[in-house]
Amino acid sequence: MDATLELFAELSIGLVGFAGVVSALGHSRLSAATRSFRIGALLINSVTALVFSILPLLISAHGLSG
């Protein structure tokens, strides 16, 4: 189970990096507000996934069990 959560955390970090690259290099015909919303939503989703995949590891490290 821990390996699955660690993999999920690594994928979330990759998604955050991808969002950064897209926001820096992306040129589209969308309005600035729409583009900003999409990048913000991508970042929020990936950071939330990262936090909730690392949280069980932190809780178990402090001696609490399920």
Side-chain angles (χ1 to χ4, degrees):
M1 176 101 168
D2 288 339
T4 303
L5 293 174
E6 289 176 11
L7 176 65
F8 195 63
E10 290 174 6
L11 291 173
S12 298
I13 291 170
L15 191 57
V16 170
F18 178 71
V21 169
V22 168
S23 66
L25 301 177
H27 298 286
S28 67
R29 296 181 184 179
L30 297 174
S31 67
T34 303
R35 199 172 42 230
S36 176
F37 173 77
R38 285 185 175 183
I39 297 298
L42 183 62
L43 286 172
I44 288 171
N45 286 335
S46 59
V47 169
T48 302
L50 175 65
V51 168
F52 283 112
S53 64
I54 292 177
L55 190 62
L57 299 173
L58 295 175
I59 290 173
S60 67
H62 288 289
L64 299 174
S65 64

